[in-house]
Amino acid sequence: MSTTGSADQAGSARGIDSTLVENRLFPPRDAAESGFARWHVGSMAEYRALHRRSVEDPEGFWREEAARLNWFRPFTRVLEWSAPDAKWFTGGTLNACHNCVDRHVESGFGETVALVWEGEPVGGPWGAGPEVRRLTYRELMIETGRCANALRALGVTRGDVVTIYMPMVPELAVAVLACARLGAAHSVIFGGFAPHAIAERAADAGSRVIVTADGGYRRGEIVPLLANVDEGVRALANQGHVVNHVLVLDRVGASARGDAFRSGEARIGPTRYHWWRDAVGGASGACPCAEMDSEDMLFLLYTSGSTGKPKGILHTTGGYLAFVQMTARLTFNLAPDAGQLFWCSADVGWITGHSYVLYGPLMNRVTTLMYEGAPNFPRQDRFWDIIARHGVTQFYTAPTAIRTFMKWGDELPAGHDLSSLRLLGTVGEPINPEAWMWYHRHIGRERCPVVDTYWQTETGGHVVTPLPGAIGTKPGSCTLPMPGIDAAIVNERGEELPPNRGGLFVIRRPWPGMLRGVYGNRERFVSNYWGRVKDPATGAPFYFSADGARRDTDGYFWIQGRIDDVIKVSGHLLGTMEVESALVSHPAVAEAAVVGVPHDIKGSAIVAFVTLRPAWLAREGRAADDALKKELGAHVAREVGALARPEQVRFAEGLPKTRSGKIMRRLLRDVAAGVEKITQDTTTLEDFSVVARLRDDEE
Ligand code: WT7
C-alpha cells in the first residue's frame, strides 16, 4: 500500500484546538493506474500554478472557464463586485438546458447516452431485473422540450418559480431542465420532506405550479408524494396562496386506481391537476431555449438555517454553470468520449444532486447514472450490484452511507466486480479516517483516488477538494482549495491563523458559483454570510461558511463542523429551531431544546429535551412515558420529515438556562452525549437545576 508518513503534525496538531491526528498521505498516481487516459491537472506544480494564476488574475482565469460554456451573446465583463453582491459575466446571455443538452446534439453527439436510470423495484411485474432506461442527449432534448411546452401551457413564464417534488426518476431531470429551458427557476424539494415543508417553501417562493408524482419507490414501499402535495396545497389555500396547477407523473400506478382524476380537473379548491402523460406526452418536443441573462435566476434551493424558517438559496445562471462545469471536470476528472459513467448517489432534492447528478456531468457531456431507491433493496449490496452491472467509473456518495456499508460487512462489496471504478468521492460531512480507509480498500481496491469534497448549498460547487492527479490525500482532510477559491482559516478579527489552530472557514474573494441571495430576505443574506468576518486590512466582508476548521502544516484543510445552530444528520442539514418549533406545536409540549450528539452512522443524531404541559397531560389522561416520546418523534417526522425525527426524546423538569435566559445548549449536549451526568436522575423527568447553576457563567 502506498502509505507514507507525512512530515507534518503529530505533536503540533495535538493542541487544544484539534483532536484528529492523521498522518497517512496517499500521493496521486499515474492516470493509467486508476484507468484514466490522462489527468486534467497532473501534478502538484500544475495545481499550484493554476491556483496562483486564479488568485493573481481571477478575471483572466474565469474568462477562460466561462468560455467553455455556450453563450448566445458573449459577456462583456467578467465580474462586477460590490460586496456582498457579485455579478458574473455581465452582458452575456445563455441557457442552462442548452449548455447541458442541446449544444451536444448540435455538435453531433445526439446519440450519446446522457442519462442511465435504474428503478428500485425488482421481480414481480418488473421481471428478473430492475427497470432500466437510457436517454440519449437527443431524447433528453425532446423530452425537456415537451415538458417545457407543457409548463408553458400551464402558464409558466420566464422568472416564475416552479416547485418540483418528485422521486428520483428521469422525469425529475426532465422537469428541472425544462424549467431552465423556459427561463423559469426550479425549486426542488427533497421527496422526504413533509407537507408542511412543501407548503412553507412553495409559499416563500411564490410558486403557482408544482410538479410531482403519484408516488415513488423507496425500500420496497411507496412514498405518498401526491398525498403530501395535496395536503400542502390545502395548507397553502388556507393561507390564501393559490397553487394554480399540479402536474403529476404516474409512477406507481395511481392513475389506474380509484384515486385517478381527469387531467385539467379542479381537485383541491381551484387547483387544477394534470397527468404528466397527457400534458407532457401530448406536447410538442420542439421548444426553443430561452435566452437568459447571465445573472438571471436559475434556481432556488431551500436549506436549513439557525432560525426555524428555511432559506431559499438563490443561484443564477452563468456563474453557477461556469463553476459547476469546472469543478465537476477537475474533481472527478470528467471527460467526454472516454467511456465514463458517473454516478452520484445523492438525491436531486439536495445541491449535490443539482450540481453533480445533473448540471456538472451533463455540461461535460458525460453519462450520468440516476438510481431511484434505497441502498438496501432488495439486499444490502444494491449499490455494488449497480456499479458492476452498469460499469460505473466514478462514484460519489456520503460518509454516512459509507459507514452504513461498513456495518453491513466487507463480504457485500467483495462479492461484486468493482473493477470498472476509477475514482471515488465523498461529500456532505467530515469523513472519519476509518470510513475513508474502508472506502479506499473495499470499494476502490486501493486503485482509485478518493476525493473528499467540501462545499455547501451556498457555494454551488466544490470549494476545497483534492484534484485527483495532483493533490495527495490524507484520510479525513478535504485537502486544498479549488482553483479560483481564496479560502482561509481566520479568527473573529479576520486574521489568518497559523497552522493547526482552529478558526473560521472563510472565502476571501467572490467566485462564480456563490449564492446571490436568500430569496426575499436581504437581511438574512447579508448577516448570515457576510456579517461576521471582515478583511482586517480593508474592512471588506469575507464569506463565512459557518464551519470551523484548521489547516495543517502542508496547508491542508480539516473541517471540524458547524459552529451555528444547525445539525448534520446523515449529511443533511437541520436547524435546531425547525425541530424545536415542530415539537412545541404539539399540545403536550411547553418548551423544547434540541441538540446534536455524535452518532456512529449518522455523524450526529438529534436529542430533544422537552418540558411538558401538566394541564394537558391531566386533561388527556396522559403521562410522561415512552408512548408520548414516540408520539412526539412521529409528530416531528410529520411536521418536518422523517430525517428530523429525534433519536431520543427526554423529558425534563425545566430547561437549563443562563441568568439572561439563554438555553445552555453546551450543557445539554454534554448531558445528551453522556459526558455530564445530571445529579438527580429521576426515572422520567430530568432536573438540570444543580448542574445548570454550577455552569451558569460559562455559556
Ligand atoms: C455543510 C453544507 C456540500 C453539498 C452537500 C451538503 C458540511 C459538506 C463536507 C466535507 C466536511 C462537509 C459542512 C458544510 N460538509 N461537505 N467534505 N467535509 N464537512 O450541503 O447541506 O449545504 O451542507 O456540510 O458543514 O457547511 P449542505
Side-chain angles (χ1 to χ4, degrees):
M1 195 175 62
S2 56
T3 310
T4 55
S6 139
D8 169 59
Q9 303 173 351
S12 57
R14 225 181 283 274
I16 39 164
D17 292 313
S18 52
T19 49
L20 188 71
V21 180
E22 175 58 55
N23 293 309
R24 285 167 290 205
L25 174 73
F26 294 85
R29 325 163 147 259
D30 285 342
E33 283 181 77
S34 304
F36 290 99
R38 57 178 281 268
W39 297 120
H40 289 305
V41 181
S43 72
M44 195 63 178
E46 205 182 319
Y47 161 75
R48 293 250 184 248
L50 196 60
H51 193 271
R52 191 175 327 110
R53 152 123 211 268
S54 77
V55 289
E56 282 170 5
D57 174 22
E59 302 217 350
F61 176 82
W62 288 116
R63 182 179 295 112
E64 281 168 28
E65 281 304 326
R68 294 171 181 272
L69 300 176
N70 186 286
W71 297 86
F72 295 145
R73 192 175 69 215
F75 51 90
T76 47
R77 303 229 0 222
V78 174
L79 170 66
E80 292 172 41
W81 174 232
S82 163
D85 298 302
K87 288 187 181 151
W88 285 90
F89 312 121
T90 45
T93 62
L94 76 172
N95 181 284
C97 184
H98 187 268
N99 272 282
C100 288
V101 184
D102 294 47
R103 67 160 157 161
H104 304 319
V105 180
E106 287 164 12
S107 56
F109 298 95
E111 308 323 310
T112 300
V113 176
L115 183 74
V116 174
W117 172 82
E118 178 162 316
E120 185 188 81
V122 286
W126 283 274
E131 186 185 357
V132 172
R133 285 169 59 190
R134 289 185 175 78
L135 267 80
T136 63
Y137 279 98
R138 183 186 310 285
E139 287 165 334
L140 193 53
M141 180 175 78
I142 294 167
E143 291 310 311
T144 56
R146 273 192 227 290
C147 183
N149 280 326
L151 289 170
R152 199 206 312 272
L154 300 181
V156 176
T157 55
R158 281 172 85 104
D160 288 354
V161 182
V162 175
T163 292
I164 301 178
Y165 180 71
M166 292 180 86
M168 284 282 285
V169 290
E171 289 81 357
L172 167 56
V174 168
V176 164
L177 293 166
C179 289
R181 203 171 178 91
L182 271 185
H186 49 80
S187 168
V188 184
I189 300 176
F190 171 57
F193 279 123
H196 168 77
I198 307 171
E200 186 174 32
R201 288 160 174 76
D204 188 79
S207 242
R208 302 285 168 189
V209 172
I210 298 179
V211 186
T212 188
D214 54 354
Y217 293 99
R218 181 89 198 169
R219 209 160 291 136
E221 315 227 316
I222 288 176
V223 186
L225 298 172
L226 180 56
N228 289 346
V229 167
D230 286 347
E231 211 179 313
V233 167
R234 258 186 225 109
L236 284 166
N238 289 337
Q239 302 158 25
H241 180 102
V242 175
V243 172
N244 296 330
H245 300 282
V246 178
L247 178 60
V248 189
L249 175 76
D250 182 346
R251 168 69 187 132
V252 297
S255 67
R257 293 199 302 266
D259 48 352
F261 54 83
R262 271 185 302 137
S263 281
E265 211 169 77
R267 194 151 171 265
I268 290 172
T271 306
R272 291 177 190 283
Y273 281 61
H274 311 262
W275 286 112
W276 177 287
R277 182 169 16 88
D278 301 329
V280 179
S284 152
C287 174
C289 289
E291 183 171 349
M292 306 304 290
D293 282 333
S294 179
E295 280 298 334
D296 279 339
M297 173 161 65
L298 178 60
F299 64 87
L300 294 178
L301 186 56
Y302 284 84
T303 183
S304 295
S306 46
T307 74
K309 199 170 145 23
K311 302 177 271 195
I313 302 302
L314 192 158
H315 283 284
T316 58
T317 311
Y320 172 81
L321 294 179
F323 191 60
V324 170
Q325 68 75 26
M326 180 190 83
T327 54
R329 186 178 87 252
L330 298 185
T331 302
F332 303 122
N333 209 51
L334 294 186
D337 311 316
Q340 298 184 357
L341 176 59
F342 180 78
W343 182 21
C344 164
S345 73
D347 194 285
V348 171
W350 310 111
I351 190 69
T352 309
H354 282 57
S355 299
Y356 302 112
V357 174
L358 300 180
Y359 288 112
L362 295 178
M363 272 188 284
N364 281 288
R365 202 182 2 106
V366 162
T367 306
T368 187
L369 186 139
M370 204 169 156
Y371 166 57
E372 176 181 34
N376 55 350
F377 189 85
R379 283 178 305 273
Q380 292 170 335
D381 63 348
R382 182 65 183 268
F383 275 22
W384 321 130
D385 180 49
I386 290 175
I387 289 172
R389 258 187 302 108
H390 294 281
V392 170
T393 48
Q394 291 110 316
F395 176 57
Y396 188 35
T397 196
T400 185
I402 297 168
R403 290 190 294 265
T404 306
F405 300 141
M406 286 172 76
K407 191 183 73 182
W408 288 343
D410 305 351
E411 331 66 78
L412 296 174
H416 292 272
D417 176 6
L418 303 182
S419 59
S420 61
L421 287 172
R422 305 175 191 173
L423 177 144
L424 302 173
T426 79
V427 57
E429 52 176 318
I431 181 165
N432 46 312
E434 300 70 37
W436 195 103
M437 285 305 300
W438 186 89
Y439 198 34
H440 170 67
R441 287 205 179 110
H442 295 275
I443 309 304
R445 313 262 157 100
E446 301 185 11
R447 210 173 11 82
C448 304
V450 175
V451 292
D452 172 358
T453 63
Y454 166 75
W455 58 297
Q456 307 180 292
T457 304
E458 292 86 344
T459 68
H462 308 147
V463 291
V464 183
T465 181
L467 300 188
I471 300 175
T473 49
K474 303 181 189 184
S477 169
C478 51
T479 76
L480 298 172
M482 181 57 76
I485 298 296
D486 181 18
I489 307 298
V490 300
N491 60 20
E492 292 281 349
R493 291 186 300 282
E495 295 152 355
E496 192 157 8
L497 292 173
N500 292 319
R501 288 274 304 283
L504 311 174
F505 179 92
V506 297
I507 302 178
R508 295 182 290 199
R509 296 160 193 248
W511 69 101
M514 65 195 264
L515 79 164
R516 300 296 195 273
V518 171
Y519 195 64
N521 200 335
R522 173 80 184 168
E523 198 281 318
R524 219 172 162 190
F525 170 61
V526 175
S527 66
N528 270 215
Y529 302 104
W530 307 94
R532 177 114 182 212
V533 200
K534 288 183 173 52
D535 185 333
T538 65
F542 288 158
Y543 171 82
F544 175 46
S545 69
D547 283 304
R550 69 176 171 94
R551 299 185 82 160
D552 65 22
T553 50
D554 293 333
Y556 278 40
F557 285 78
W558 299 76
I559 305 294
Q560 294 161 332
R562 306 286 301 198
I563 65 163
D564 56 359
D565 286 333
V566 305
I567 306 175
K568 278 241 135 178
V569 180
S570 301
H572 303 312
L573 279 187
L574 285 166
T576 52
M577 283 270 290
E578 267 175 282
V579 182
E580 287 163 4
S581 25
L583 282 165
V584 298
S585 74
H586 189 286
V589 177
E591 240 189 332
V594 156
V595 296
V597 292
H599 186 279
D600 283 352
I601 303 289
K602 299 178 178 178
S604 9
I606 293 178
V607 175
F609 292 92
V610 166
T611 65
L612 297 168
R613 295 182 186 282
W616 184 86
L617 294 181
R619 199 170 56 236
E620 302 290 318
R622 299 287 301 269
D625 55 12
D626 285 348
L628 184 57
K629 289 183 178 177
K630 243 180 140 168
E631 183 176 325
L632 294 178
H635 179 73
V636 172
R638 204 161 45 240
E639 288 292 305
V640 186
L643 53 93
R645 186 197 305 265
E647 188 78 6
Q648 234 190 79
V649 176
R650 296 168 69 153
F651 296 133
E653 199 79 66
L655 298 177
K657 293 188 182 151
T658 61
R659 268 185 270 271
S660 62
K662 268 184 67 185
I663 291 176
M664 301 168 81
R665 288 178 188 282
R666 194 141 48 95
L667 167 60
L668 289 179
R669 268 195 293 273
D670 288 351
V671 170
V675 175
E676 174 116 43
K677 296 271 182 288
I678 57 170
T679 40
Q680 282 167 278
D681 195 357
T682 60
T683 43
T684 47
L685 291 189
E686 302 183 81
D687 180 0
F688 295 104
S689 47
V690 179
V691 255
R693 231 173 295 126
L694 288 173
R695 283 232 199 155
D696 203 6
D697 297 321
E698 285 176 41
E699 305 262 330

